[in-house]
């Protein structure tokens, strides 16, 4: 067992050594690609609603580049893939995109009732994106299927790269296919199934229809899902399309691990290094997820539907008795993060005493027993009325009606937007594309 005096010296020496190493390594780490942060705003939002979205994203118009996304932009990729009812005539979805150099794709969605963060993250992989942080939201409830268009536009502008038009179309097809599948088997099962099949197709280089069918069958058995012939055919057709393009398997794996709350070996040590660094810098808000950590959920209201791909990772790391928690607790204790200064001073005074000066030998015995018993340093995404949304697994295109003007937007809880004040908008959900 390490004696108190030796532990006290370690607490002084190790932080200095690691801080010096961090200083040396931080120089190349700070070198990033020439990129910016970009916000996209739905063209049919009021000025007040647009302002509220900047507040939600935790930024201002002068700090980011802004793109206005129209229904015509969404139609460019959705026509021929989605129905007119699904495409709609108005655009309300917004996004905030931050390209990164590693970490895969992390996504947070707010007020998107049909598209989940996992769906967007997975389909962005198909579009050719490898690393970025994304927030997709709306000041009012919408289906969110049109959000992907804005996100891809924002990523291209922010990163200075051009994504393949064919891959962007494939990504849109994947989002619609996953959404339709979710109507019958649920969002999570639909996303898990599609991710499993896509990973197998890309990793194994499957292109033959029969081989892809086998991969779909295997994934369906894994998740105990029964698919119809029509569903099998749609998934197979999509995967044959996706199989034409080259993908970085490691980047694909990283994002899929994010969605599952897992961490690869390299990811583990990266997280460990970041956590140690944050002990000295007081950081943490930007250590994972970047802009996702700056959102102000209160702007969307208490009833907003919000989910994030970060949740899986956070929940996994918070498992009781988890190894990561033990490591974190160990370093906190080692560096004195939870130690009371007064107690430390008292300990120093006691440790400085000569054992022979002690008038009561029982004190020494008590200390030894405490050390034997335990230590504080123990590793321990036209307008119409439709049925209300009961849960996120229900489709938002349960019914479509054409109004007097001939415009047709399908939605769950579709309603008119109060253009005078975002906070006074009817609680009805509006869909820009579904």
């Amino acid at each position: 067992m390490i004696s108190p005096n030796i532990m006290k010296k370690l607490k002084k020496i190790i932080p200095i050594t690691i801080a010096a190493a961090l200083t040396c390594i931080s120089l190349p780490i700070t070198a990033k690609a020439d990129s910016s942060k970009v916000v996209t705003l739905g063209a049919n939002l009021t000025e007040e609603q647009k302002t509220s979205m900047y507040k939600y994203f935790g930024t201002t118009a002068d700090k980011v580049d802004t793109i206005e996304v129209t229904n015509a932009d969404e139609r460019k990729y959705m026509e021929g893939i989605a129905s007119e009812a699904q495409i709609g005539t108005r655009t309300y979805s917004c996004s905030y995109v931050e390209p990164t150099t590693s970490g895969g794709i992390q996504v947070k969605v707010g007020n998107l009732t049909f598209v989940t963060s996992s769906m967007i993250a997975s389909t962005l992989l198909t579009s050719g994106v490898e690393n970025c942080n994304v927030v997709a939201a709306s000041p009012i409830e919408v289906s969110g299927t049109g959000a992907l268009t804005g996100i891809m536009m924002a990523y291209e502008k922010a990163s200075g790269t051009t994504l393949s038009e064919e891959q962007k179309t494939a990504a849109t097809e994947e989002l619609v296919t996953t959404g339709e599948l979710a109507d019958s088997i649920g969002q999570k099962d639909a996303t898990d199934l599609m991710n499993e099949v896509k990973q197998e197709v890309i990793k194994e280089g499957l292109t033959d229809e029969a081989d892809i069918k086998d991969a779909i069958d295997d994934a369906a058995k894994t998740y105990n899902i029964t698919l119809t012939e029509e569903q099998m055919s749609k998934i197979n057709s999509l995967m044959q399309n996706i199989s034409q393009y080259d993908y970085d398997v490691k980047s694909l794996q990283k994002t899929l691990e994010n969605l599952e709350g897992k961490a690869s070996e390299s990811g583990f040590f990266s997280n460990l290094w970041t956590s140690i660094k944050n002990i000295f810098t007081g950081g943490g808000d930007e250590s994972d997820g970047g802009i996702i950590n700056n959102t102000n959920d209160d702007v969307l209201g208490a009833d907003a539907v919000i989910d994030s791909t970060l949740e899986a990772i956070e929940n996994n790391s918070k498992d009781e008795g988890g190894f990561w928690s033990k490591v974190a607790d160990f370093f906190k204790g080692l560096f004195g993060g939870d130690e009371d200064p007064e107690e430390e001073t008292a300990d120093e005074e006691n440790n400085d005493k000569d054992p022979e000066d002690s008038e009561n030998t029982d004190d020494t015995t008590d200390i030894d027993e405490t050390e034997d018993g335990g230590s504080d340093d123990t590793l321990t995404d036209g307008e119409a009325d439709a049925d209300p949304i009961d849960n996120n697994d229900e489709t938002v295109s349960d019914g479509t009606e054409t109004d007097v003007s001939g415009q047709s937007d399908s939605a769950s809880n579709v309603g008119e937007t109060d253009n005078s004040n975002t906070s006074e908008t009817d609680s009805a959900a509006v869909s820009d594309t579904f």
Side-chain angles (χ1 to χ4, degrees), residues 48-253:
E48 188 169 358
Q49 288 173 326
K50 292 177 181 178
T51 298
S52 73
M53 292 312 297
Y54 284 116
K55 292 181 180 179
Y56 171 69
F57 292 140
T59 189
T60 55
D62 60 324
K63 293 182 179 179
V64 296
D65 289 328
T66 301
I67 300 174
E68 184 175 86
V69 181
T70 67
N71 185 256
D73 292 322
E74 295 175 348
R75 284 178 174 274
K76 180 179 179 180
Y77 299 105
M78 298 188 72
E79 279 188 329
I81 297 176
S83 67
E84 279 297 312
Q86 292 172 327
I87 298 173
T89 62
R90 298 190 178 191
T91 299
Y92 298 102
S93 296
C94 305
S95 69
Y96 188 18
V97 176
E98 173 188 44
T100 57
T101 57
S102 63
I105 300 172
Q106 296 285 10
V107 181
K108 179 175 183 176
V109 300
N111 265 345
L112 307 188
T113 61
F114 184 71
V115 175
T116 67
S117 58
S118 295
M119 287 183 190
I120 291 179
S122 184
T123 53
L124 278 177
L125 282 171
T126 301
S127 74
V129 175
E130 295 181 356
N131 301 289
C132 72
N133 295 319
V134 176
V135 182
S138 169
I140 56 177
E141 288 190 358
V142 296
S143 64
T145 48
L148 181 63
T149 299
I151 295 170
M152 293 187 295
M153 291 170 64
Y155 178 81
E156 290 182 315
K157 183 174 180 63
S159 65
T161 61
T162 301
L163 300 173
S164 161
E165 290 297 314
E166 291 78 13
Q167 284 181 252
K168 288 191 286 187
T169 299
T172 304
E173 180 184 354
E174 180 183 342
L175 188 66
V176 174
T177 302
T178 305
E180 292 176 345
L181 183 61
D183 292 342
S184 56
I185 67 174
Q187 291 175 326
K188 188 179 187 306
D189 282 346
T191 303
D192 289 344
L193 176 69
M194 296 295 282
N195 287 344
E196 183 80 13
V197 176
K198 181 166 66 175
Q199 183 176 2
E200 187 70 12
V201 167
I202 295 175
K203 184 177 180 180
E204 301 300 327
L206 306 182
T207 58
D208 184 74
E209 180 179 356
D211 291 337
I212 295 177
K213 182 180 184 301
D214 289 340
I216 298 173
D217 284 333
D218 290 342
K221 290 178 182 178
T222 298
Y223 295 101
N224 194 26
I225 296 171
T226 301
L227 300 173
T228 66
E229 288 300 319
E230 181 180 4
Q231 290 170 335
M232 287 282 294
S233 178
K234 282 190 175 182
I235 297 173
N236 202 314
S237 176
L238 168 65
M239 293 303 164
Q240 288 183 61
N241 185 12
I242 291 176
S243 70
Q244 301 177 56
Y245 313 111
D246 293 327
Y247 293 97
D248 186 316
V249 176
K250 290 185 178 180
S251 295
L252 173 73
Q253 187 64 36

